[in-house]
Amino acid sequence: MSPATSPRSPGPDGAADAPGTAGPLARPAGTANDAIDALDGKLIRLLAEEPRIGVLECSRRLQVARGTVQARLDRLQAKGVIGGFGPEVDPAALGYPVTAFATLEISQGQGADVRAHLSAVPEVLELHTITGHGDMMVRIVARSNADLQRVIDRVVGFDGIVRSSTAIALENPVPYRILPLVDQAATE
């Protein structure tokens, strides 16, 4: 049974939610952001803060039925809101403390080949196609500044890459984060 057609469990006040609603924390359908509601936001925050927590403990802390939590998780995964539950790994702790961003200009029609080439470089952590100066932006890591040269040589050592420009990250005062955006989306 899908989350939209499954019977709803009683809310904290003991009343069952009407079919097609998400309970007392729900937002009316058709609003600006139907991706998540307040309960989804609380569930995502709880999982982000305690990634090893189980569904039963989530339901206890959020004061909703276990089936509600499971249905929400299934729906959030199906919609791509939650992409995984893997561990956060710090490249510096693995011996790659240098982070850099390279902007790449590529030859026309070489996008697929360049993507395949960059996917084969372990030090390439992310690849984005971009507008502006350049065609692609890659986040790369290296063991040292000297090792960064080796990584850059490997990245640009492909006929489809015409030009590159690299900037070394000095510090990361706002590391990748998603919870402020989750909080905002849950209240819109």
Side-chain angles (χ1 to χ4, degrees), residues 36-111:
I36 66 170
D37 62 15
L39 180 57
D40 292 333
K42 288 179 180 183
L43 176 59
I44 292 167
R45 176 170 282 285
L46 182 58
L47 289 169
E49 291 171 349
E50 298 183 51
R52 295 176 62 149
I53 193 171
V55 172
L56 187 59
E57 182 61 16
C58 283
S59 70
R60 188 185 70 71
R61 294 208 197 158
L62 297 173
Q63 298 181 333
V64 296
R66 183 203 162 287
T68 299
V69 170
Q70 188 63 59
R72 294 291 182 118
L73 281 174
D74 292 345
R75 181 178 52 81
L76 291 168
Q77 285 182 281
K79 290 173 77 173
V81 174
I82 294 177
F85 297 92
E88 288 183 28
V89 178
D90 181 5
L94 291 176
Y96 295 85
V98 176
T99 298
F101 297 89
T103 303
L104 308 176
E105 293 180 31
I106 64 170
S107 300
Q108 291 289 335
Q110 293 292 309

Side-chain angles (χ1 to χ4, degrees), residues 11 18 26-27 29 32 34 38 42 50 54 83-84 86 89 107 114 118 122 130-131 134 138 151-152 157-158 171 184:
R27 186 175 47 255
D34 286 332
K42 288 179 180 183
E50 298 183 51
V89 178
S107 300
V114 171
L118 295 172
I130 59 171
T131 62
V138 293
V151 175
I152 292 169
F158 187 78
E171 69 172 319
Q184 178 177 306

